Amino acid sequence: MPELPEIETIKSVVEPQIQGLTIENVLINRPEVIVHPMADEFCEDVTGQAIFSMARRGKFLIIHLGNKNKIILHLRMTGCLLVTPSDYQLEKHTHIIMQ
């Protein structure tokens, strides 16, 4: 698999911070960024699930959940994935918040 340093860097920084945590709540500001399932079902499926691990496949980041489901992310050209305190001021283009 070709080296994709930016994706590997994101994975290596974010994974240790979220591994073992449980998703307690999901807020979706832009439902159109959820491809499958629909946004409401996505929230139901991931809420309450523990984050088991992360992986990379090409330019995709994969978050493995405790129930064997996966969240597959593609950051496109300018996207980013932030791990922040709950009182952190939202960035202008924040699409999804998982607490």
Side-chain angles (χ1 to χ4, degrees):
M1 197 173 299
E3 287 296 316
L4 298 166
E6 67 282 358
I7 302 298
E8 284 294 336
T9 299
I10 292 168
K11 178 190 169 297
S12 67
V13 169
V14 171
E15 183 177 29
Q17 296 181 67
I18 66 171
Q19 191 171 23
L21 297 179
T22 298
I23 300 169
E24 296 176 353
N25 187 42
V26 180
L27 175 63
I28 300 177
N29 294 327
R30 300 261 321 264
E32 67 273 14
V33 302
I34 305 288
V35 177
H36 178 76
M38 299 297 288
D40 290 343
E41 187 178 343
F42 172 82
C43 291
E44 289 175 23
D45 288 349
V46 302
T47 299
Q49 295 304 312
I51 297 170
F52 184 69
S53 65
M54 283 183 79
R56 176 185 67 83
R57 177 114 184 154
K59 293 184 179 182
F60 292 91
L61 284 170
I62 304 165
I63 300 174
H64 296 274
L65 303 178
N67 65 354
K68 307 284 187 200
N69 282 341
K70 299 172 187 154
I71 299 171
I72 302 173
L73 304 166
H74 191 292
L75 301 178
R76 306 287 177 207
M77 293 297 289
T78 59
C80 64
L81 186 60
L82 301 174
V83 178
T84 65
S86 59
D87 61 352
Y88 188 81
Q89 185 174 356
L90 292 182
E91 298 289 329
K92 181 179 178 182
H93 297 288
T94 300
H95 300 326
I96 300 173
I97 301 166
M98 287 186 249
Q99 300 170 321

